Amino acid sequence: MKSQKLFYFKTTIIALAITMLSGCTQTTQETNKDVSAFIYDEEALLNAKPWTSKDFQNKPENFQFAIIGDRTGGANALGTFNLAMDQINLLQPEFVINVGDLIEGYPESKGELDVMWDEADSMISKLQMPFFYTIGNHDVSTPETKEAWLERRGVDYYYFLYNDVLFIVLNSEDDSRPAPPPEIMEGIKIYNKLQLEDPEAAKEMLKEFMSDEAVIAALAQPVEFLEKQMNWIKKTLAENADVRWTFLFLHEPCWENPSESFKVIQSKLKSRNHTLFAGHLHYYDYDNIDGYEHITMGPAGSSFHHDGPGNVDHIMWVTMTDDGPQMGNIALKGLFDRRGLDTTMFGAYDRKGY
């Protein structure tokens, strides 16, 4: 009988406790069993082998998750974000984190706001894994929308630990942002209609909006974090000082024009390994600041705000390893299921910016 060489990892199988009848005591049996992860025919492959000698990347403490950017701020009428939910299910990450802006916001009534959130949550409900929310400016555009957020999500900033990695989700819309122009919702409605009826006119309308002095000033305004959230950040970091890595998620890339409060956050992070993620600008950008990576996610259905290589609908695939996170961007137009590319979905797969 041919011998086989086993590359294996050990697992402990704990037998179920058997409760005996008639008042007998409960017994537990533990059994160690070698479970083969990889088997090959040693006798046929004594020397050369048709594979490399690298170790399998299957350490149980390492894990994968996906990050997805803005859906709204002129959501693609052809459903890019909705398609992305199906695409993420193909990849099967352990969980997904968004960096804000899931609804258009600026509703005229509570009923209109509920319709917006029901639409977004219906798309997200297709995911087969947990989805973690981050507040964006479109999500909490008015005091009423902030109340609705808290009703649906419970909190506006939070943290969680996963495999000894700290995830902190902040609120960059913490009552410090400029008030939106009163005509913005009507403008969004017109823009979304033009996307279907006259795409070139939609692009021109967006160009005009993005060149408006008030919009430019609002985008350049530093994000201040209020004292309550700042105290919570300091406490959370202090109570989780020895984690493998720390990830921070927030909607606005505050490092572009840091406020005094954000500089304090950066100083508190310098004693640990960390990475920051944001969105808001609808354009992918990478910054290495003092040796730490700061990443602005590109869109996942939102309008394109700039021309250039960062103008791409995508997700980021993150693998946590012993040496820190490995990160790869996946363009949504390059990801489709086993049946092949659905040409009827070209508008969602492969959008063009201006």
Side-chain angles (χ1 to χ4, degrees):
M1 181 178 181
K2 294 181 178 179
S3 63
Q4 292 181 319
K5 185 172 182 180
L6 308 180
F7 288 83
Y8 60 85
F9 61 91
K10 292 185 177 180
T11 62
T12 301
I13 301 175
I14 303 177
L16 294 174
I18 303 173
T19 304
M20 307 301 293
L21 298 175
S22 304
C24 291
T25 59
Q26 189 180 64
T27 60
T28 301
Q29 178 182 359
E30 292 190 3
T31 304
N32 290 330
K33 183 179 180 181
D34 293 340
V35 180
S36 301
F38 177 54
I39 302 172
Y40 71 91
D41 189 333
E42 180 188 12
E43 199 169 293
L45 295 165
L46 289 175
N47 297 306
K49 297 175 180 62
W51 56 79
T52 66
S53 59
K54 298 292 185 181
D55 293 335
F56 286 93
Q57 299 283 32
N58 60 356
K59 289 188 176 181
E61 64 270 23
N62 295 338
F63 58 93
Q64 294 79 34
F65 64 97
I67 307 171
I68 190 166
D70 299 31
R71 170 185 171 249
T72 55
N76 176 24
L78 295 172
T80 299
F81 186 88
N82 189 42
L83 174 67
M85 299 298 98
D86 296 323
Q87 292 172 302
I88 289 172
N89 280 336
L90 297 176
L91 298 173
Q92 290 289 298
E94 293 176 43
F95 55 90
V96 181
I97 300 183
N98 166 248
V99 290
D101 276 6
L102 292 168
I103 63 170
E104 292 291 6
Y106 313 102
E108 296 177 355
S109 67
K110 178 65 161 56
E112 187 177 16
L113 176 61
D114 287 338
V115 168
M116 292 180 187
W117 273 122
D118 289 347
E119 178 186 35
D121 288 341
S122 176
M123 297 177 191
I124 293 165
S125 69
K126 297 194 297 180
L127 288 176
Q128 298 164 0
M129 65 290 299
F131 181 95
F132 292 88
Y133 293 81
T134 300
I135 275 186
N137 60 301
H138 283 264
D139 303 323
V140 288
S141 52
T142 64
E144 293 76 20
T145 54
K146 175 68 174 293
E147 291 176 11
W149 175 281
L150 293 174
E151 287 175 5
R152 286 177 178 257
R153 315 296 170 214
V155 293
D156 52 345
Y157 50 87
Y158 60 98
Y159 83 90
F160 64 92
L161 289 161
Y162 191 80
N163 277 11
D164 197 33
V165 174
L166 177 63
F167 292 79
I168 297 180
V169 181
L170 299 183
N171 177 9
S172 61
E173 317 307 312
D174 197 8
D175 300 324
S176 64
R177 310 309 296 136
E183 68 278 4
I184 189 168
M185 190 59 213
E186 186 60 31
I188 290 174
K189 288 179 179 178
I190 294 171
Y191 172 78
N192 287 342
K193 184 179 180 183
L194 287 173
Q195 285 190 82
L196 292 174
E197 297 178 356
D198 190 344
E200 290 303 316
K203 291 178 183 178
E204 288 302 316
M205 181 180 179
L206 182 60
K207 274 186 181 179
E208 183 178 343
F209 176 79
M210 293 303 299
S211 62
D212 185 273
E213 290 184 5
V215 172
I216 294 171
L219 289 171
Q221 180 173 320
V223 174
E224 290 288 358
F225 292 83
L226 300 184
E227 183 179 6
K228 182 180 178 182
Q229 186 172 186
M230 288 296 295
N231 290 338
W232 177 88
I233 293 168
K234 295 172 185 176
K235 181 174 181 288
T236 300
L237 290 172
E239 291 177 350
N240 298 278
D242 299 323
V243 294
R244 297 163 60 193
W245 206 272
T246 297
F247 291 111
L248 248 73
F249 296 85
L250 66 167
H251 182 59
E252 301 195 32
C254 303
W255 52 87
E256 297 285 349
N257 187 17
S259 64
E260 291 306 311
S261 55
F262 187 72
K263 289 177 183 177
V264 172
I265 295 172
Q266 288 179 305
S267 69
K268 295 293 181 182
L269 289 167
K270 282 190 175 180
S271 62
R272 61 175 66 213
N273 293 320
H274 67 273
T275 309
L276 287 83
F277 296 95
H280 188 54
L281 301 182
H282 303 192
Y283 190 88
Y284 183 82
D285 191 37
Y286 174 91
D287 293 292
N288 191 307
I289 302 173
D290 297 330
Y292 299 103
E293 294 178 305
H294 296 60
I295 294 171
T296 304
M297 293 291 293
S302 59
S303 59
F304 291 127
H305 283 182
H306 309 282
D307 198 9
N311 218 17
V312 59
D313 291 303
H314 73 109
I315 60 171
M316 176 171 277
W317 184 264
V318 183
T319 300
M320 192 62 209
T321 75
D322 295 342
D323 300 320
Q326 290 287 349
M327 295 175 280
N329 284 299
I330 303 174
L332 296 181
K333 63 184 178 182
L335 178 59
F336 44 89
D337 69 24
R338 68 189 73 186
R339 294 169 296 180
L341 188 64
D342 182 355
T343 57
T344 65
M345 294 294 291
F346 274 166
Y349 275 122
D350 193 9
R351 298 191 298 148
K352 305 297 182 185
Y354 62 77

